[in-house]
Amino acid sequence: MEHQAPSESAVVLGTLDEILKSAPQLALIEKPGAEGYCIKWLELRGVRHLVIAGADERGVLYGSFALLRKIGAGESIRDLDQRQAPSAPVRWLNLWDVVGVPRAPGVPPSPMRLFGDSVLWENGSARRDLSRLHDFARMLASVGINGCAVSIVNAEPRLLDPNFLPELKRIAGVFRSWGVRIVLPVDFSSPKHIGGLATFDPFDAKAAAWWKSKTDELYAAVPDMAGFVMKADSEGTLGPSAYERTHADAARPIARALKPHGGLLFYRAFVYNHRLDWNDMKADRARAAYDYFHALDGRFDDNVVIQIKNGPIDFQVREPVSPLFGALEKTNQAIELPIIQEYMGGGRLVPWWKDALDFDMRVGDSDTPVKAIVTGRAFRQPVGGFVGVTISSMDPTWTRSHFAQANLYGFGRVAWDPDLGAENVIEEWTRLTFGNDPTTVRTIVDMNLRSWRMYEKYTGPLGLQTLTEITGNHYGVAVEASENNGWGQWHRADADGVGMNRTVATGTGFIGQFSPAVAAMYESLETCPDDLLVFMHHVPYTHKLHSGKTVIQHIYDSHYEGAEAAEEYLRDWRSLAGRVDDQRYREIRASLEYQAGAAELWRDAVAGWFFKTSGIPDAHGRVGRYPSRIEAEAMKLDGYMPQRVIHFETASGETAVRCSAARCSAGFRHEGAPGWHILKVRYFDYAQGAARFRLWVGGQLVDEWAADDTLPTRRAEPDGTSSTRRMISGIALRPGDKIRVEGVPDGTEDAALDYVEVLMD
Ligand code: GCV
């Protein structure tokens, strides 16, 4: 259809070519790069128009959102004159949604699925009502995301079933209307396990032919599919090692099947042996990606992209960047970043990604920041970019956490332009989400920017990584869970010291995978940054950091600072009462209260574990001494039975009390000063059941609540995931007052209690 330039002032939208057809006078606009846009005021026959000219259709969409963003953030558009194009063609999500069966009732969610059910899938097929997916896809487009893997990388076979094509078509159709192309996760063994062939050897002509016909079939249904993502030889998935082939061999037949359709194969470098020998001091999971892939540089087809997690382990709170980024000069690469809240439950992530993207690999001893490598600038690779791992969720806030939305927003913005500062991105998000009140904006931006380091401080500082249930839910604290198994997320803490020796001189040699300049920095204790010290070196607890503190004192201090910062977070949020609408104010306050409680548990568990293991006291006398705490096991118990907890550090005094009767109680007398007090009750909330608690002071009921949260533990016994706390303030106490907690179990949830802390208000 021919359009005429409007006669009244208007916003004129279109691709540059379309606009020029109807208004050749606008030839003044310089064409932006692919998917880019110009926004500019131009005068036509005496009338000023705001013109959004896209290089292509996506460009028009992104330009329109850019304008809305400016208006929403309260910026002036009076003299707008902007030309932008994305940093890289790949700005994708990998959704770790599962198509298959939904979670059975009573089974706790994984940390990822804490946030609610998929917007794509329900009971094994595409949701009947996909309106929420429309909103999701629009949200992705609003931050420039143009591709989305529709289910988890542990590929479900049914995605390749011909009967499933209509489901894929429906999903692809919704995404398409917002410029987002779908990506399919595929399993390398498919020719055998889905195709019924005798082999999936990539050198077998029949296996290659199977990939070709399957790919053709998929493209007939979804002609604009962006490609496949594949996890091979990783955490139990089959791969080329079954036939002693390389990953380049494995990629070839699949890439060639995709090529005629313009499809890409994203081959994940997350390949490692999860049956390593813990007693082998040279074994090192961090080495794996480089060891498997660097020698294959240049041997992948040009439509293969190696998808590399930011760090060599797995989304840990602090890791160096993967040395593989500096080792592939003739191969397309993309960085895989977590948006998901696995391992990083409390973290706001933009500053963390920026840290990785800005890191200079010093390839050839010149400036080679990771962002220049993955955008293809550094080694002139044609395709590359950013893959964010997340889930979709039906929850009204998208993730059951208002603040976690900053991560998805930030991912899109950073992928669009990795040179944007974390503060700019977060300020944009804050203004668009909470409005332009200066105090609100300043407070939230500041909270967001502090979040990663706060989380690191109360979980795993110095490169200890996230000291969590490595073989389980990757959520609650369990310091030793990473040791003595084959998964390789080891910290090797013992009575004398801590850390993995990854040096070239005497360790696993991992450090030697970096360029000489970077390797030299990590190899030497003099120059290795404190925040990665025990990732790179095994050191005695008495080793002095650059700060002058010993390692052990730093661990103690860091956990106290982190937990205090989480309390401060809560105070900051409370200062916004009345500035944010009631519902969001309350919901965010509740999540920050939970986080402050979780941080306190992490503090006590990790500091307590290191105190017991090292035998070195805290110079400030805090660790292991909690004068205002009354252990449940020391109270007068009626029905409650003391029991040691599974990981000793996850309950104060290593013991909780559990109730196997219909109702139990634990009481004590207040021995402190008279006055207003806060009571902190630490108890355990399993995923199952909703045990009830009541708190009585001097015969009066002062609080009651249910343990009905859904935390991702499968255990019906106290652990570092179920431990949680209730704070009750404004309690008047006199010496001798009787304080009593009553617990009423519900099914297997036995109203377990850890302690009560009595603090002056
Ligand atoms: C999808 C971690 C997660 C796994 C995930 C894996 C991966 O190990 O715990 O759930 O698998 O990373 O990235 O492939």
Side-chain angles (χ1 to χ4, degrees):
M1 192 171 61
E2 275 291 306
H3 296 286
Q4 290 307 313
S7 52
E8 285 173 22
S9 184
V11 178
V12 178
L13 293 174
T15 62
L16 188 56
D17 293 344
E18 283 166 348
I19 291 178
L20 290 183
K21 259 188 247 155
S22 40
Q25 308 89 313
L26 296 183
L28 288 171
I29 301 175
E30 207 183 315
K31 189 159 183 159
E35 301 184 87
Y37 58 82
C38 295
I39 314 180
K40 210 178 169 67
W41 288 98
L42 285 174
E43 208 170 291
L44 265 184
R45 290 189 289 271
V47 184
R48 277 187 100 213
H49 300 292
L50 183 56
V51 179
I52 302 180
D56 42 39
E57 288 190 351
R58 278 199 191 86
V60 183
L61 188 61
Y62 300 149
S64 310
F65 278 118
L67 177 64
L68 293 176
R69 193 158 53 232
K70 289 199 170 295
I71 295 169
E75 288 173 35
S76 161
I77 57 163
R78 230 188 32 209
D79 302 311
L80 202 52
D81 184 355
Q82 211 181 45
R83 193 159 62 94
Q84 292 228 349
S87 71
V90 173
R91 305 177 309 281
W92 289 7
L93 295 186
N94 276 185
L95 293 183
W96 281 4
D97 292 23
V98 176
V99 178
V101 284
R103 194 162 53 84
V107 175
S110 72
M112 281 99 91
R113 286 259 74 102
L114 272 180
F115 302 125
D117 295 331
S118 166
V119 300
L120 284 69
W121 311 111
E122 185 180 36
N123 304 325
S125 5
R127 275 185 186 279
R128 214 164 317 147
D129 174 3
L130 287 174
S131 46
R132 195 71 179 142
L133 178 60
H134 260 288
D135 296 345
F136 184 70
R138 184 185 56 211
M139 176 167 71
L140 303 194
S142 75
V143 290
I145 292 170
N146 62 359
C148 184
V150 293
S151 101
I152 191 157
V153 283
N154 300 328
E156 291 170 88
R158 74 169 67 195
L159 266 69
L160 298 185
D161 190 313
N163 294 327
F164 200 72
L165 289 173
E167 312 291 321
L168 287 180
K169 275 177 89 158
R170 287 188 61 220
I171 297 285
V174 176
F175 273 125
R176 183 178 300 120
S177 56
W178 292 102
V180 180
R181 298 197 298 161
I182 67 160
V183 179
L184 272 200
V186 294
D187 185 293
F188 183 62
S189 71
S190 299
K192 180 169 173 181
H193 292 116
I194 300 170
L197 301 183
T199 178
F200 54 94
D201 183 350
F203 284 8
D204 184 275
K206 286 207 201 80
W210 184 87
W211 279 113
K212 176 153 178 31
S213 75
K214 180 52 71 183
T215 307
D216 290 347
E217 178 185 291
L218 287 162
Y219 272 90
V222 185
D224 61 347
M225 187 169 67
F228 296 153
V229 54
M230 194 163 79
K231 170 175 177 177
D233 274 334
S234 170
E235 301 187 329
T237 62
L238 288 165
S241 67
Y243 300 96
E244 296 185 0
R245 311 291 186 211
T246 69
H247 294 286
D249 299 335
R252 205 164 300 119
I254 310 175
R256 291 190 183 167
L258 286 162
K259 181 85 180 173
H261 304 286
L264 299 172
L265 172 62
F266 273 62
Y267 200 106
R268 293 178 89 229
F270 187 62
V271 177
Y272 69 99
N273 172 8
H274 65 277
R275 297 200 175 85
L276 289 173
D277 177 4
W278 187 71
N279 293 308
D280 176 359
M281 301 308 276
K282 297 282 177 193
D284 187 359
R285 168 171 166 182
R287 293 188 56 112
Y290 179 99
D291 283 348
Y292 284 113
F293 285 88
H294 89 281
L296 301 177
D297 192 19
R299 293 184 44 205
F300 290 93
D301 285 8
D302 63 2
N303 63 332
V304 179
V305 180
I306 305 300
Q307 180 169 324
I308 308 170
K309 286 203 191 205
N310 62 288
I313 301 285
D314 185 8
F315 298 162
Q316 301 297 288
V317 65
R318 176 79 67 169
E319 295 181 58
V321 299
S322 171
L324 189 57
F325 289 118
L328 299 176
E329 299 188 23
K330 294 180 282 230
T331 304
N332 299 319
Q333 310 182 39
I335 188 167
E336 180 180 305
L337 295 167
I339 300 171
I340 206 162
Q341 299 284 283
E342 190 193 19
Y343 286 117
M344 291 284 293
R348 310 283 80 91
L349 303 172
V350 174
W352 188 72
W353 305 327
K354 285 288 295 172
D355 205 63
L357 290 166
D358 291 342
F359 186 83
D360 188 353
M361 302 298 286
R362 304 299 307 158
V363 179
D365 216 17
S366 49
D367 288 1
T368 7
V370 170
K371 63 189 173 192
I373 297 173
V374 299
T375 52
R377 270 188 281 139
F379 305 131
R380 295 206 187 77
Q381 292 304 326
V383 218
F386 304 79
V387 178
V389 171
T390 190
I391 56 156
S392 72
S393 163
M394 289 296 283
D395 184 82
T397 67
W398 292 113
T399 49
R400 238 182 94 195
S401 159
H402 295 277
F403 275 180
Q405 261 325 99
N407 294 341
L408 181 55
Y409 181 90
F411 172 78
R413 299 293 291 134
V414 167
W416 181 274
D417 180 1
D419 290 326
L420 284 174
E423 188 168 350
N424 291 352
V425 172
I426 297 306
E427 183 172 331
E428 254 178 36
W429 174 80
T430 307
R431 288 180 181 279
L432 295 173
T433 311
F434 291 96
N436 292 310
D437 169 52
T439 308
T440 309
V441 172
R442 198 176 351 97
T443 307
I444 297 178
V445 170
D446 188 48
M447 289 172 77
N448 185 300
L449 298 178
R450 279 168 17 223
S451 158
W452 166 42
R453 287 190 176 78
M454 169 177 83
Y455 189 70
E456 176 184 34
K457 280 182 173 188
Y458 74 71
T459 56
L462 299 176
L464 272 170
Q465 305 170 62
T466 316
L467 304 171
T468 182
E469 299 252 17
I470 292 299
T471 54
N473 62 22
H474 296 183
Y475 183 86
V477 56
V479 180
E480 264 165 292
S482 58
E483 301 306 284
N484 230 327
N485 61 47
W487 291 86
Q489 292 188 220
W490 308 325
H491 51 68
R492 295 201 184 282
D494 58 20
D496 305 315
V498 55
M500 278 283 289
N501 179 356
R502 292 190 157 108
T503 61
V504 176
T506 56
T508 68
F510 164 75
I511 291 175
Q513 296 181 336
F514 287 96
S515 65
V518 175
M521 171 187 61
Y522 288 143
E523 181 82 4
S524 153
L525 280 172
E526 293 298 304
T527 49
C528 182
D530 284 348
D531 55 21
L532 279 172
L533 180 71
V534 305
F535 191 94
M536 301 293 182
H537 297 268
H538 185 84
V539 290
Y541 290 117
T542 49
H543 173 85
K544 283 243 170 78
L545 300 169
H546 296 120
S547 66
K549 270 186 199 173
T550 61
V551 164
I552 191 74
Q553 194 56 44
H554 182 94
I555 293 176
Y556 297 150
D557 290 352
S558 162
H559 282 85
Y560 274 84
E561 283 161 22
E564 176 48 32
E567 299 286 0
E568 200 178 306
Y569 228 60
L570 193 52
R571 289 195 288 273
D572 285 356
W573 183 250
R574 289 208 169 107
S575 75
L576 296 183
R579 291 181 183 269
V580 174
D581 59 278
D582 258 18
Q583 184 183 350
R584 283 192 297 180
Y585 176 76
R586 272 186 287 102
E587 288 173 0
I588 292 174
R589 190 187 57 200
S591 65
L592 297 179
E593 277 166 357
Y594 170 79
Q595 182 177 23
E600 179 187 55
L601 171 75
W602 274 86
R603 176 195 79 187
D604 294 347
V606 178
W609 189 94
F610 277 95
F611 176 39
K612 184 167 176 173
T613 307
S614 70
I616 303 176
D618 166 24
H620 306 297
R622 298 157 299 185
V623 181
R625 261 194 75 245
Y626 310 102
S628 43
R629 199 174 279 187
I630 296 94
E631 296 293 341
E633 58 274 22
M635 297 179 194
K636 184 171 173 309
L637 300 180
D638 181 3
Y640 268 125
M641 298 293 289
Q643 194 178 313
R644 288 175 68 77
V645 289
I646 175 160
H647 302 297
F648 74 81
E649 70 277 22
T650 58
S652 193
E654 306 184 9
T655 307
V657 299
R658 303 175 67 186
C659 176
S660 52
R663 175 183 304 264
C664 298
S665 76
F668 61 98
R669 285 196 185 276
H670 176 58
E671 286 172 1
W676 294 104
H677 286 77
I678 300 175
L679 300 184
K680 274 193 218 172
V681 181
R682 186 162 282 281
Y683 64 102
F684 296 88
D685 187 341
Y686 312 154
Q688 309 86 341
R692 296 200 63 78
F693 289 91
R694 285 198 175 125
L695 179 70
W696 303 81
V697 174
Q700 270 207 342
L701 180 66
V702 295
D703 192 22
E704 61 182 321
W705 68 96
D708 56 359
D709 205 349
T710 319
L711 297 162
T713 178
R714 283 173 183 265
R715 295 193 186 98
E717 65 174 307
D719 68 9
T721 297
S722 55
S723 176
T724 188
R725 79 177 188 193
R726 177 89 174 178
M727 301 266 278
I728 308 108
S729 49
I731 304 286
L733 289 179
R734 284 157 312 177
D737 275 352
K738 198 169 166 200
I739 300 171
R740 190 166 65 88
V741 181
E742 182 183 280
V744 177
D746 180 29
T748 50
E749 187 168 67
D750 53 11
L753 191 65
D754 189 359
Y755 62 81
V756 176
E757 195 159 332
V758 183
L759 302 165
M760 292 298 283
D761 202 349

